Amino acid sequence: MEMIIGGAFQGKSTLAEKDHPDVTWINGAQADWESLSHAEGVMGFHEYIRKEMKAGNDISSLAEDLIRVNPDLILVSDEVGYGVVPIDAFDRAYREAVGRICTKLAAYSHRVTRVACGIGTVIKDA
């Protein structure tokens, strides 16, 4: 597994497509579990988490399930845990869920790249 993370509009998608030109990408906001299970790469993984939470689905084992069924996946996700803590209870829960899930996935990943201003910095390369 590989992760490319960073703030909104920092160039993650561009970097991912440049570094992995042969990957077929799916959109996290439109993905379902079946497509996620078989995808090569996911753009906007954080949006998949939001969609599942809005639908009331249990995501407590999402990281573990994803590692088990698709260990070679490339994930592109916003870091949503920075900045002002949201007032809305759902937004706070979503922010925490993305952080917890991505932390587990990063620990498993062989490479994690953080993107700021279009520049990718490898923060894990195992």
Side-chain angles (χ1 to χ4, degrees):
M1 188 167 290
E2 180 175 345
M3 293 185 72
I4 300 170
I5 59 170
F9 309 107
Q10 291 296 308
K12 297 177 301 294
S13 299
T14 302
L15 182 75
E17 289 171 339
K18 180 180 150 254
D19 287 352
H20 303 285
D22 298 330
V23 168
T24 301
W25 298 95
I26 65 169
N27 183 323
Q30 299 165 345
D32 59 12
W33 176 249
E34 185 65 25
S35 63
L36 196 66
S37 299
H38 296 93
E40 294 179 275
V42 179
M43 295 283 187
F45 177 65
H46 60 287
E47 292 295 342
Y48 175 81
I49 296 170
R50 177 183 287 280
K51 179 179 68 71
E52 291 298 302
M53 288 180 70
K54 284 277 188 186
N57 296 330
D58 179 19
I59 58 165
S60 61
S61 64
L62 176 59
E64 294 83 357
D65 293 342
L66 200 50
I67 289 166
R68 182 175 39 78
V69 301
N70 197 350
D72 297 322
L73 183 61
I74 302 169
L75 296 170
V76 178
S77 181
D78 278 7
E79 290 178 300
V80 298
Y82 292 108
V84 177
V85 177
I87 293 173
D88 182 73
F90 175 83
D91 287 339
R92 284 193 312 273
Y94 160 68
R95 172 183 159 130
E96 181 176 340
V98 171
R100 291 188 185 278
I101 291 167
C102 286
T103 297
K104 289 177 186 175
L105 293 171
Y108 176 79
S109 294
H110 71 276
R111 173 176 274 180
V112 180
T113 303
R114 184 162 192 274
V115 180
C117 299
I119 300 168
T121 303
V122 176
I123 59 175
K124 178 182 180 185
D125 196 12

